[in-house]
Each structure stands twice: as structure tokens, then as C-alpha cells.
Amino acid sequence: HRLGRCREAMDLNDAALAAHPGHALLWLSRGELLMKTRAAVAENCFVRARQEDGAGPEIGLRVGAICLRYGRPAWALAALQAVVARDDRGAQVWHLLGCAQSDLGMTAAAAHSFRRAVDLAPHLAAYRQALEEALRPSLAHRLTALWRRLTPR
């Protein structure tokens, strides 16, 4: 699909869903196929994937990653929060949750999520870097602080 063969991928997905209509991964892949052209339908596919029997937290994790990849951080946030509510022991889900929160401007929440990811997987440099960036004051924050110091009261 990412190689530009969407029609062929959709046909294969249609055939697979006809044979296995309750398979979460098939609904997940269908949602990803539709993200660029029919986002509302894609969202329904992701909901269906998470509702299928046997759909564990990895499905929600994958939904979150796909939504972040396609610039839908609010959708990612909802999917990843549901994963954390079921099981809060995965470093990757905390990292992706922090990415979604950061994209939505939720800086304190993002820093908390990145901290959890680092606590669970301190050996991963990307998680440590994300935490460092989240804790670094933004340009807007620094300018506001400077303005307050320079403005007479």
C-alpha cells in the first residue's frame, strides 16, 4: 500500500475480509488503506479492529501508530489511552501516547508519558531524547518568561 498499489491492496483486503470477517488485523490494515482518502471510514475500521474477539492491546497500539503517521493525533490519543487503561506496562505505548499529547500541545501530559516510557525502557535513546525535548522549555515559554521579567508591574 505504501508503495502506491492501493487498488491491489484493497482488493486483497476485500478478499481476506470476505474469508475472515472477524479478523482484527484485517480491519486494521483496511483502516490504514483508507486513511488518505476516506478518513471517517478508516476510523470505523479502527473501531471495528479494536472490538474484534481476541483483539489485544497491540491492536490499539498499532491504531495509535498509524494515526500518528497520518497526522491524526487526537485519534491516536484515544486509542493509546484505551491501551494504557488496560495495561500500563508497555514503554512503546507510553512513548506513542507522549507523541500524540505533544502533537496536541499537551506538554505536561506528554512529559509525564515520556517519563513513563523512559522508566520502563531506559536503554532506548529515542525515548530519552523525547523526554529531554518535552522538558526543554519551548520558545513561546521562554519569550513569555522574558516578557514578564522585562514588563514593569
Side-chain angles (χ1 to χ4, degrees):
H1 147 61
R2 291 187 204 139
L3 299 176
R5 298 172 64 184
C6 277
R7 183 71 255 154
E8 182 182 352
M10 188 62 82
D11 290 344
L12 290 170
N13 186 262
D14 286 342
L17 276 172
H20 308 283
H23 199 288
L25 287 175
L26 294 175
W27 285 106
L28 182 74
S29 65
R30 184 173 200 78
E32 185 169 8
L33 286 168
L34 294 168
M35 278 299 284
K36 284 185 180 178
T37 59
R38 299 177 64 198
V41 177
E43 184 178 24
N44 291 334
C45 292
F46 295 147
V47 169
R48 176 84 186 259
R50 292 196 321 259
Q51 292 173 342
E52 290 299 332
D53 287 340
E58 71 280 353
I59 296 296
L61 180 71
R62 290 179 182 202
V63 168
I66 291 167
C67 291
L68 284 171
R69 185 176 322 122
Y70 286 92
R72 300 284 184 159
W75 293 5
L77 180 71
L80 296 166
Q81 285 175 329
V83 173
V84 167
R86 288 175 71 180
D87 183 0
D88 67 350
R89 297 170 294 170
Q92 186 179 18
V93 71
W94 282 107
H95 176 75
L96 291 175
L97 182 60
C99 292
Q101 291 164 328
S102 180
D103 287 353
L104 293 168
M106 304 166 66
T107 54
H112 170 75
S113 295
F114 290 138
R115 165 57 59 205
R116 289 284 291 140
V118 169
D119 289 347
L120 292 165
H123 59 284
L124 294 176
Y127 292 2
R128 290 192 314 272
Q129 181 180 355
L131 175 61
E132 290 169 9
E133 288 175 12
L135 294 175
R136 190 176 308 129
S138 68
L139 176 61
H141 179 75
R142 291 192 310 251
L143 289 173
T144 301
L146 178 63
W147 176 261
R148 287 185 180 142
R149 279 196 311 266
L150 297 176
T151 304
R153 296 192 189 252

